Amino acid sequence: MLDPALLRQQPADLAHRLRETRGYDLDVDALASLEADRKRIQVRTQELQNLRNSRSKAIGQAKAKGEDVSAIMAEVAAFADELKASETALEALRGKIDAISMSLPNLPAEGVPTGADENDNVEQARWGTPRDFDFPVLDHVELGARNGGLDAETAAKLSGSRFTVLRGEVARLHRALAQFMLDLHSGAHGYQETNVPVIVNADSLYGTGQLPKFEEDMFITRLGEQKRYLISTSEISLTNMVRDEIVDAERLPLRMTAHSLCFRSEAGSGGRDMRGMIRQHQFEKVELVSVCRPEQSEAEHERMTECAETVLRTLGLPYRRMLLCTGDMGFSAVKTYDLEVWLPSQQTYREISSCSNCGDFQARRMQARWRNPATGKPELLHTLNGSGVAVGRAMIAVMENYQNADGSITVPDALRPYMGGAERIG
């Protein structure tokens, strides 16, 4: 959530910035009308509340003296209905203004390129050289079928489209990748391994920005009369651990990693992503989350991205780092790097990790704060999140980049300890 002061004091400037950077149209006139009504009704509500308090005090004093209080009580009764109506109207107006505030995306940081979509993203660096194959390259679906490891038909029978059953050595490769990433991030990179719920309440989704805007992308369950949501990323669970908390300064930065199931409806996506495991309703990801002081967040963002890059380098997978433009960044981000891994079957780079600095945007929604020792006062934290990395897409990249002419797959050196020493699949 953006600073409410921007809405109240600089609505025209905010509207211009949102339109230019995010393509978001803020109705300034409608907002000004709501604010004017709020101020008017708030003043009257406070007048009535002060009057009620003063008359209640007068009643107490009169009773103490044994005086007749009927006239004062009649006066209180006369404005009680107006006060109740005024309080109800004020609450409704605040709700409307809060709804507008909750719908506003974050403002990009300085240096983020202005653009409309992924075509305007800026390449920052490349690592590794794509392999030259002397035989016809197969995609992960064909490789998985040859080795009996990928089964979309059985998954469709069980759950519908965009699910996959993994078997045998391919299933073990998938597990090995997750274990390798967790060990790397919790050992070499200093993130605390955390196991989190994959079902969360609405407050958690409001905190990290999935609600109210992206509810259609969520899978919804019910526990009794209350809705619960399957997480689309363990960022939601990890980041909300500091919701409504004041974190001691010496604990910062907090760095956490989790391997979890993730669920997305993927509404509106299709095309080449419909084939195989590129875009699934259920997938697994190793997530990185950092919670830090404001002055630490830029350096923490670079560090987090480098941690995700280390996964790809250790696996020997060619990739590139992209700085996302304003039109392609996520709702909560001020700055985002995407890591895109090389897929030989598509002869292109595809996203495998997205690392974002959210500034104080999520912290304001969650009321997540730290106590500044210089002032002794609570201040908003900064939050960051990134994939470290998507397990299924890493498996796809390993299968395709390490394939052999006979359809077998060479196991990268880093994964062999997790594969019982196996050097080849199939």
Side-chain angles (χ1 to χ4, degrees):
M1 186 168 68
L2 297 174
D3 187 342
L6 291 174
L7 273 176
R8 291 195 302 267
Q9 301 169 12
Q10 306 171 44
D13 179 61
L14 176 60
H16 174 75
R17 293 171 67 187
L18 287 170
R19 184 171 53 253
E20 292 299 311
T21 61
R22 290 291 204 161
Y24 184 96
D25 288 322
L26 174 61
D27 191 334
V28 176
D29 292 337
L31 180 62
S33 177
L34 288 171
E35 270 295 317
D37 288 344
R38 181 195 63 79
K39 290 178 182 177
R40 174 178 55 81
I41 294 177
Q42 183 167 313
V43 168
R44 181 55 180 162
T45 300
Q46 290 173 340
E47 289 174 350
L48 292 169
Q49 289 171 339
N50 291 336
L51 182 59
R52 177 193 60 193
N53 294 339
S54 66
R55 303 320 289 156
S56 296
K57 183 177 181 181
I59 290 172
Q61 292 172 340
K63 283 184 176 180
K65 295 177 182 178
E67 298 174 352
D68 182 12
V69 297
S70 57
I72 305 176
M73 293 185 69
E75 182 184 356
V76 172
F79 63 75
D81 288 343
E82 182 187 356
L83 175 57
K84 183 177 180 179
S86 184
E87 288 174 336
T88 300
L90 181 60
E91 184 178 353
L93 283 167
R94 284 173 173 165
K96 291 179 180 178
I97 294 170
D98 286 346
I100 293 174
S101 182
M102 282 288 195
S103 72
L104 301 180
N106 207 348
L107 292 169
E110 286 187 27
V112 172
T114 301
D117 53 36
E118 63 182 9
N119 295 312
D120 297 315
N121 295 339
V122 178
E123 183 175 317
Q124 302 286 290
R126 292 193 184 198
W127 184 91
T129 302
R131 174 183 167 191
D132 288 327
F133 291 87
D134 57 3
F135 56 87
V137 171
L138 302 179
D139 71 4
H140 70 282
V141 178
E142 296 166 308
L143 289 165
R146 283 194 173 198
N147 293 296
L150 298 181
D151 186 352
E153 291 185 6
T154 299
K157 179 176 70 174
L158 299 174
S159 305
S161 62
R162 297 199 188 185
F163 293 89
T164 302
V165 170
L166 304 182
R167 292 195 182 94
E169 293 173 306
V170 173
R172 187 170 188 180
L173 175 63
H174 189 269
R175 173 164 57 90
L177 281 160
Q179 290 179 304
F180 155 69
M181 294 177 206
L182 278 178
D183 284 350
L184 180 65
H185 294 314
S186 63
H189 297 157
Y191 288 83
Q192 183 182 54
E193 183 174 346
T194 313
N195 191 293
V196 296
V198 298
I199 300 177
V200 297
N201 55 31
D203 287 344
S204 296
L205 294 170
Y206 275 103
T208 43
Q210 282 76 19
L211 289 183
K213 185 175 176 61
F214 302 106
E215 184 163 14
E216 68 173 12
D217 292 331
M218 310 298 297
F219 280 98
I220 301 172
T221 68
R222 289 190 181 274
L223 293 175
E225 295 298 316
Q226 293 186 321
K227 282 199 287 189
R228 294 289 189 272
Y229 299 81
L230 297 175
I231 61 171
S232 55
T233 165
S234 56
E235 165 209 343
I236 298 166
S237 304
L238 291 170
T239 308
N240 273 278
M241 287 184 175
V242 295
R243 188 175 79 228
D244 297 321
E245 299 282 341
I246 300 176
V247 181
D248 291 335
E250 56 268 21
R251 294 178 60 201
L252 300 174
L254 292 174
R255 298 181 180 129
M256 298 170 281
T257 184
H259 166 225
S260 75
L261 287 166
C262 305
F263 304 87
R264 293 182 187 171
S265 70
E266 301 290 3
S269 61
R272 61 182 175 176
D273 286 351
M274 288 292 287
R275 178 171 169 80
M277 290 184 62
I278 294 289
R279 197 174 293 276
Q280 300 270 277
H281 289 314
Q282 174 185 310
F283 58 98
E284 295 178 36
K285 190 151 62 88
V286 172
E287 187 74 4
L288 304 174
V289 162
S290 292
V291 178
C292 65
R293 305 182 189 196
E295 67 270 18
Q296 295 173 325
S297 66
E298 286 188 27
E300 196 69 15
H301 189 205
E302 296 295 329
R303 182 187 189 278
M304 175 180 286
T305 307
E306 289 168 6
C307 289
E309 288 181 273
T310 300
V311 172
L312 302 179
R313 290 177 181 172
T314 307
L315 293 173
L317 297 172
Y319 71 91
R320 64 180 183 177
R321 180 200 279 212
M322 304 294 290
L323 174 60
L324 299 197
C325 71
T326 55
D328 199 33
M329 284 199 315
F331 179 79
S332 299
V334 298
K335 184 177 181 180
T336 298
Y337 292 119
D338 269 8
L339 303 182
E340 298 179 347
V341 70
W342 178 257
L343 292 186
S345 68
Q346 297 184 10
Q347 286 291 292
T348 192
Y349 292 92
R350 299 301 305 272
E351 179 198 339
I352 194 170
S353 172
S354 189
C355 297
S356 296
N357 184 355
C358 298
D360 61 12
F361 186 84
Q362 293 177 328
R364 183 173 284 108
R365 297 168 77 104
M366 296 186 300
Q367 280 302 289
R369 296 166 292 171
W370 67 294
R371 193 173 299 281
N372 188 335
T375 63
K377 296 180 180 180
E379 298 177 10
L380 290 172
L381 291 158
H382 277 202
T383 63
L384 305 95
N385 63 82
S387 306
V389 296
V391 180
R393 292 194 179 190
M395 186 186 73
I396 290 169
V398 167
M399 292 172 71
E400 293 197 5
N401 282 280
Y402 282 90
Q403 65 181 287
N404 302 304
D406 61 359
S408 65
I409 300 161
T410 300
V411 177
D413 290 343
L415 297 181
R416 291 178 185 178
Y418 301 91
M419 296 285 292
E423 299 181 359
R424 184 171 292 206
I425 291 174

